[in-house]
């Protein structure tokens, strides 16, 4: 009998299709989503809880996250999409708050976080036993992609973020997707055979995280993590959207679609717990005079009036001059 554990994404719900099975062998996670994800697992055994992460898994790929006999009373999961996807995915909701770290980690006592660690929600899973005696859990969207569709939808999503028109993101091949992919490969100096290579998603993400001659690009030249938000005005509606995570030394293209008349930008440096940083007693942020609505958690807001009375924050965005066809904003220390 199958049950479903929901992991929330605003663009698409992640589901873990699971069934009851004893944890007795290799545990494998398979990604049938259109996002490259990073996963962390938690193991409860005899009143002790340990966590381990991050395991990066491309669309349509699987990865063993625990080898050999897995002794556990409960197995738990936290999954996150890469920061390159910006405001679309959000962390899952779960009943167990366990410790994680920003980079690869193994935490033996995961219910009491120490310096450099932070609590995150984990969801209990019961993976399916396979014919070879191993265990598998599938990460899937409500679109219920198969492996081929998930891979193509993952390519489409990164093409859109990189500024190429591969919409809709549906996992269905066609002339529009092929034209966008061909243009991407040509502009990035990549040969067509890389599409089938194991490192293709890594190559696409590297391209998305580098400056572009089209659209808006944010580049983080600070030693801190930066969270950014974008505003667009199409002449009828002003939409603010965030937050996009930009790691130190990386660039990112917010997924701005269509041809907006005006684009606005706001960014701020944050610490490991996403608290705003100050430099010489002043907020370390990059904004301007245009006031738009935001909130602490990820958001998309299409009504900009009365922010305060609606429980929203008022944030000053900078207008971005896109007259040259493309603009790179580089955030640096004062």
């Amino acid at each position: 009998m199958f049950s479903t554990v929901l992991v929330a994404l605003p663009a698409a719900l992640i589901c873990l299709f699971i069934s009851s099975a004893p944890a007795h062998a290799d545990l494998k996670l398979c990604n049938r989503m259109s996002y490259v994800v990073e996963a962390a697992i938690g193991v409860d055994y005899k009143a002790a809880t340990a966590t381990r992460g991050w395991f990066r898994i491309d669309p349509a790929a699987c990865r063993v996250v625990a080898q050999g006999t897995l002794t556990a009373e409960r197995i738990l999961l936290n999954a996150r999409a890469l920061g390159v996807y910006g405001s679309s995915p959000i962390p899952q909701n779960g009943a167990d708050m366990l410790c994680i770290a920003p980079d690869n980690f193994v935490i033996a006592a995961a219910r009491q976080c120490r310096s450099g660690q932070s609590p995150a929600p984990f969801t209990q899973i019961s993976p399916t036993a396979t014919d070879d005696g191993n265990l598998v859990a599938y990460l899937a969207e409500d679109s219920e992609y198969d492996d081929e569709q998930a891979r193509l939808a993952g390519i489409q999503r990164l093409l859109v973020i990189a500024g190429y028109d591969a919409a809709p993101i549906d996992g269905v091949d066609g002339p529009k997707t092929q034209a966008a992919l061909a243009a991407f490969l040509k502009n990035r100096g990549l040969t067509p055979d890389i599409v089938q290579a194991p490192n293709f998603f890594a190559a696409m993400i590297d391209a998305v995280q580098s400056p572009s001659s089209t659209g808006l690009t944010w580049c983080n030249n600070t030693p801190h993590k930066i969270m950014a938000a974008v505003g667009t005005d199409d002449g009828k509606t002003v939409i603010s959207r965030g937050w996009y995570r930009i790691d130190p030394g990386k660039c990112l293209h917010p997924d701005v679609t269509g041809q907006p008349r005006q684009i606005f930008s706001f960014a701020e440096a944050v610490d490991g717990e996403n608290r705003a940083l100050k430099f010489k007693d002043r907020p370390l942020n990059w904004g301007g005079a245009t006031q738009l609505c935001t909130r602490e958690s990820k958001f998309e807001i299409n009504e900009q009036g009365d922010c305060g009375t609606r429980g929203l924050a008022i944030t000053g965005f900078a207008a971005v001059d896109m007259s040259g066809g493309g603009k790179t904003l580089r955030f640096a220390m004062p």
Side-chain angles (χ1 to χ4, degrees):
M1 180 177 177
F2 284 83
S3 60
T4 303
V5 177
L6 295 181
V7 184
L9 292 177
L13 293 178
I14 302 176
C15 306
L16 287 173
F17 297 105
I18 59 176
S19 67
S20 298
H24 63 281
D26 288 357
L27 172 62
K28 181 166 60 176
L29 296 180
C30 294
N31 181 8
R32 288 182 175 169
M33 298 176 56
S34 57
Y35 302 90
V36 178
V37 301
E38 293 176 323
I41 61 168
V43 176
D44 261 347
Y45 183 63
K46 292 185 176 179
T49 305
T51 56
R52 181 180 179 184
W54 295 96
F55 302 95
R56 179 164 157 167
I57 315 172
D58 292 341
C62 298
R63 181 162 180 183
V64 173
V65 297
Q67 292 182 312
T69 302
L70 180 61
T71 304
E73 296 167 352
R74 300 169 71 227
I75 302 174
L76 304 109
L77 175 73
N78 175 281
R80 67 184 189 185
L82 298 187
V84 71
Y85 294 107
S87 61
S88 295
I90 61 173
Q92 68 182 61
N93 298 313
D96 290 78
M97 298 299 293
L98 305 181
C99 303
I100 61 171
D103 301 315
N104 293 340
F105 65 90
V106 177
I107 301 174
R111 293 191 181 273
Q112 295 181 336
C113 300
R114 296 170 176 80
S115 176
Q117 303 172 3
S118 59
F122 279 67
T123 300
Q124 182 177 349
I125 62 172
S126 300
T128 301
T130 59
D131 293 339
D132 59 6
N134 293 316
L135 302 170
V136 62
Y138 291 91
L139 286 77
E141 297 177 51
D142 57 353
S143 302
E144 297 185 0
Y145 296 128
D146 60 24
D147 285 340
E148 182 178 352
Q149 292 167 335
R151 190 174 190 279
L152 183 57
I155 293 172
Q156 290 172 326
R157 189 173 297 282
L158 286 172
L159 286 171
V160 169
I161 293 173
Y164 297 83
D165 187 4
I169 299 166
D170 55 9
V172 178
D173 202 1
K176 191 176 180 182
T177 295
Q178 288 301 315
L181 180 57
F184 170 82
L185 295 174
K186 179 180 178 181
N187 293 342
R188 298 291 177 171
L190 302 173
T191 57
D193 59 342
I194 196 175
V195 177
Q196 301 305 322
N199 65 335
F200 181 52
F201 279 99
M204 290 197 76
I205 288 170
D206 285 344
V208 170
Q209 290 181 322
S210 62
S212 172
S213 60
T214 61
L216 174 62
T217 304
W218 288 310
C219 288
N220 181 359
N221 293 348
T222 80
H224 308 292
K225 179 173 67 174
I226 285 178
M227 303 300 287
V230 65
T232 57
D233 181 0
D234 64 3
K236 298 179 181 178
T237 305
V238 178
I239 299 175
S240 56
R241 188 166 67 249
W243 297 97
Y244 298 82
R245 187 179 83 233
I246 315 168
D247 293 325
K250 299 295 186 179
C251 298
L252 187 144
H253 308 283
D255 47 343
V256 176
T257 58
Q259 298 292 328
R261 293 184 180 181
Q262 184 67 67
I263 294 178
F264 307 94
S265 171
F266 174 81
E268 64 180 356
V270 298
D271 63 15
E273 297 181 2
N274 289 331
R275 294 174 299 193
L277 291 176
K278 290 186 177 182
F279 182 77
K280 295 182 178 179
D281 296 325
R282 298 184 63 182
L284 186 55
N285 61 32
W286 300 264
T290 301
Q291 295 189 336
L292 302 179
C293 299
T294 62
R295 63 164 57 97
E296 288 189 5
S297 58
K298 298 201 175 188
F299 65 90
E300 181 169 327
I301 302 169
N302 56 17
E303 292 184 7
Q304 300 303 322
D306 300 322
C307 302
T309 60
R310 292 188 288 144
L312 303 172
I314 302 174
T315 302
F317 283 62
V320 182
D321 181 8
M322 303 293 294
S323 59
K327 182 70 173 183
T328 298
L329 299 180
R330 295 187 177 275
F331 306 124
M333 299 299 294

